[in-house]
C-alpha cells in the first residue's frame, strides 16, 4: 500500500533481478515406471515432474521465453495482481544508472551464463495513487487465465501426505508445543509417543554439535557423550528422545542422534546425555506444509509484450506453457 501520494509516471520502486531458467524451478519425484506408463523393472525408479517451486510465483517472465527474472528488492514481491482496469502500476526497464541495458543485446545463452546481477526494472505508476491506496500490477492474460482455471478446477489436494497434513495448523502447532511454559511443555519420549503420538507432520530436532575427535566409545552401538551448548541453528539435528529425568525441578533429556560425515559418508550414532529442554524443538517435517501440496497454484508474473527482446523468445506457444501448468 502506498505510504505517500504518488504521481502518475513516478517510480514507485526499483529492483535488481536474478536470472533463472524455468527448468531450475521444477519439482521432481521418484516413482515406479509403471505408475506413469513406462515399462521398467520393479526396482527401477524414474523421475516424474510433479510441479514447480513456490519461488515461481514471484518471478517475472514471458510465456514464450525460458528465462525468468526474480526481483529481490524489499516489498516488490508483495505487489498483488489487479485487473487491467484496477492496475495502477507497470514494469519497465530501469532508468537507474546501475541497470546494465547493454545486456538486452546479449543472446539468451549469454544472459543465462551470467552468474551475477545487472538487469533492473522500475515499478512505475500508471495513475495517480493516493496515500493508503493499494499498488496493483496487471500480471498478464496468461496469469489471469491460469488463476481462473485453477479456481474452477480446484479440489482438495490429491497428495500422498493428505492423511498427515492438517491445513492451516502445521505452522502453529509446533510453535505452540515449543512455547508452552506449563507442566505440559515436556518433550515426549519415543516410548510415550506410542500412546500419545505427535502429529505425523512434526519431528523432534536437538541442538547438538558433534565432537571433532573420533568417538572413543567403541564397545557400544552408540557413542555416549554429554551435551554441550551450541548457538548455531545448523546444529539442529533430527533426534529420538529416549528418556527424561527430572532433577531439582528441571527436565533433562537423553536422545539418540545419527550424524553422517559429509566427506567420508560414515555415520556415527550418538547417545547424548543431559540435553536441556531449550535444546529440543518440534518442527515440520520436510514437504509437509500446505505450500507443498499437489495442485497448488504456480504461475509467473507476466511481463508485457515488448519488454523481452525477440531473441530471448525460445519457446513456442505450445511448449513450456502447457508443461508449465501443474
Amino acid at each position: 500500500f502506498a505510504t505517500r501520494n504518488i504521481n502518475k509516471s513516478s517510480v514507485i520502486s526499483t529492483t535488481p533481478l536474478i536470472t533463472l531458467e524455468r527448468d531450475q524451478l521444477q519439482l521432481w519425484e521418484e516413482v515406479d515406471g509403471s505408475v506413469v506408463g513406462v515399462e521398467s523393472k520393479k526396482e527401477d525408479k524414474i523421475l516424474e515432474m510433479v510441479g514447480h517451486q513456490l519461488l515461481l510465483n514471484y518471478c517475472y517472465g514471458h510465456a514464450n521465453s525460458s528465462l525468468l527474472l526474480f526481483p529481490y528488492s524489499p516489498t516488490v514481491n508483495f505487489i498483488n495482481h489487479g485487473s487491467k482496469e484496477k492496475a495502477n502500476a507497470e514494469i519497465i526497464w530501469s532508468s537507474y544508472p546501475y541497470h546494465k541495458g547493454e545486456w538486452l543485446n546479449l543472446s539468451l545463452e549469454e544472459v543465462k551464463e551470467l552468474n551475477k546481477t545487472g538487469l533492473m526494472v522500475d515499478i512505475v505508476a500508471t495513475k495517480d495513487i493516493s496515500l493508503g491506496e493499494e499498488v496493483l500490477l496487471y500480471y498478464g492474460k496468461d496469469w489471469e487465465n491460469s488463476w481462473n482455471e485453477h479456481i474452477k478446477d480446484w479440489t482438495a489436494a490429491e497428495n500422498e501426505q493428505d492423511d498427515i497434513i492438517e491445513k492451516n495448523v502445521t505452522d502453529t502447532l509446533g510453535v505452540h508445543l515449543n512455547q508452552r511454559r506449563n507442566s505440559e511443555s515436556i518433550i515426549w519420549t519415543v516410548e510415550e509417543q506410542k500412546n500419545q503420538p505427535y502429529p505425523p507432520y512434526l519431528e523432534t530436532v536437538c541442538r547438538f554439535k558433534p565432537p571433532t575427535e573420533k568417538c572413543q566409545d567403541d564397545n557400544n552401538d552408540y557413542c555416549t557423550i554429554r551435551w554441550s551448548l551450541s548457538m548455531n541453528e545448523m546444529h539442529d539435528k533430527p533426534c529420538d528422545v529416549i528418556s527424561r529425568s527430572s532433577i531439582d525441578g528441571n527436565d533433562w533429556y537423553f536422545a539418540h542422534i545419527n550424524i553422517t560425515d559429509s566427506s567420508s559418508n560414515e555415520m556415527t550414532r550418538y547417545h547424548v546425555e543431559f540435553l536441556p529442554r531449550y535444546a529440543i524443538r518440534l518442527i515440520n517435517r520436510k514437504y509437509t506444509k500446505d505450500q507443498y501440496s499437489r495442485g497448488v497454484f504456480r504461475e509467473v508474473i507476466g511481463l508485457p509484450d515488448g519488454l523481452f527482446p525477440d531473441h530471448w523468445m525460445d519457446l513456442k506457444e505450445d511448449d513450456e506453457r502447457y508443461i508449465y501448468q501443474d
Side-chain angles (χ1 to χ4, degrees):
F1 290 82
T3 57
R4 66 186 189 281
N5 291 323
I6 303 172
N7 295 327
K8 180 180 178 180
S9 301
S10 297
V11 175
I12 300 170
S13 183
T14 298
T15 177
L17 303 164
I18 297 174
T19 56
L20 299 169
E21 293 190 57
R22 290 180 188 263
D23 289 353
Q24 290 177 294
L25 300 185
Q26 292 174 349
L27 293 175
W28 297 82
E29 187 176 89
E30 277 192 346
V31 297
D32 292 326
S34 58
V35 174
V36 290
V38 175
E39 219 174 286
S40 63
K41 296 178 183 178
K42 186 176 181 181
E43 64 275 10
D44 285 348
K45 298 284 186 180
I46 66 168
L47 288 175
E48 177 191 18
M49 197 186 86
V50 295
H52 289 84
Q53 296 180 39
L54 178 62
L55 186 66
L56 189 75
N57 284 0
Y58 299 94
C59 289
Y60 303 147
H62 191 284
N64 294 337
S65 178
S66 60
L67 181 70
L68 296 177
L69 303 174
F70 175 71
Y72 64 98
S73 177
T75 71
V76 296
N77 289 321
F78 298 108
I79 301 178
N80 287 322
H81 166 74
S83 64
K84 279 186 175 181
E85 295 74 24
K86 292 183 178 180
N88 52 18
E90 65 177 353
I91 300 170
I92 63 172
W93 291 118
S94 180
S95 57
Y96 200 62
Y98 291 111
H99 167 59
K100 297 186 181 299
E102 64 273 16
W103 285 15
L104 301 178
N105 298 320
L106 298 177
S107 69
L108 187 59
E109 291 70 25
E110 289 173 324
V111 173
K112 289 179 179 180
E113 289 174 1
L114 292 170
N115 294 318
K116 55 185 178 181
T117 59
L119 295 175
M120 304 178 73
V121 294
D122 291 335
I123 311 295
V124 175
T126 57
K127 307 173 182 177
D128 289 339
I129 302 174
S130 302
L131 172 67
E133 186 179 351
E134 184 173 9
V135 177
L136 297 170
L137 282 170
Y138 178 59
Y139 285 5
K141 183 179 178 182
D142 290 327
W143 189 96
E144 275 192 332
N145 290 342
S146 293
W147 176 251
N148 292 334
E149 196 68 26
H150 174 76
I151 294 299
K152 176 184 173 184
D153 297 339
W154 186 88
T155 57
E158 297 177 3
N159 196 334
E160 292 179 3
Q161 304 259 20
D162 279 353
D163 292 336
I164 69 172
I165 297 178
E166 295 184 21
K167 303 299 179 187
N168 303 320
V169 178
T170 55
D171 286 305
T172 57
L173 183 54
V175 172
H176 178 57
L177 290 171
N178 285 323
Q179 291 182 343
R180 283 189 291 183
R181 299 298 183 187
N182 55 32
S183 60
E184 293 183 352
S185 68
I186 62 173
I187 295 292
W188 299 328
T189 66
V190 171
E191 189 63 30
E192 289 170 335
Q193 289 185 57
K194 291 179 180 178
N195 296 321
Q196 47 181 3
Y198 288 121
Y201 49 79
L202 294 180
E203 70 175 342
T204 309
V205 295
C206 298
R207 180 71 57 85
F208 171 66
K209 181 181 179 181
T212 54
E213 65 276 5
K214 186 174 176 62
C215 180
Q216 301 299 316
D217 192 0
D218 294 330
N219 297 321
N220 299 311
D221 290 336
Y222 288 88
C223 175
T224 300
I225 187 172
R226 192 181 181 104
W227 181 83
S228 60
L229 178 66
S230 171
M231 305 300 290
N232 189 343
E233 290 186 359
M234 298 298 292
H235 294 150
D236 285 353
K237 308 294 182 183
C239 61
D240 291 326
V241 175
I242 304 305
S243 61
R244 179 181 60 253
S245 179
S246 183
I247 302 174
D248 296 330
N250 294 316
D251 287 331
W252 299 93
Y253 293 84
F254 301 78
H256 287 169
I257 306 173
N258 297 332
I259 304 292
T260 300
D261 184 270
S262 57
S263 56
S264 66
N265 210 32
E266 180 181 341
M267 186 181 74
T268 303
R269 306 171 74 188
Y270 290 96
H271 175 77
V272 185
E273 300 181 326
F274 296 103
L275 287 95
R277 171 61 183 85
Y278 61 78
I280 307 174
R281 293 192 304 124
L282 292 168
I283 66 170
N284 289 95
R285 294 185 185 275
K286 289 183 178 179
Y287 307 117
T288 58
K289 291 186 178 181
D290 295 350
Q291 67 203 51
Y292 298 109
S293 297
R294 299 289 179 84
V296 292
F297 182 71
R298 296 286 184 266
E299 184 63 76
V300 296
I301 298 171
L303 291 173
D305 289 332
L307 205 63
F308 266 21
D310 290 341
H311 54 274
W312 288 3
M313 303 298 187
D314 60 330
L315 299 178
K316 296 178 181 178
E317 198 161 314
D318 295 333
D319 288 348
E320 176 74 5
R321 184 174 299 183
Y322 293 98
I323 297 173
Y324 188 54
Q325 306 296 325
D326 295 342

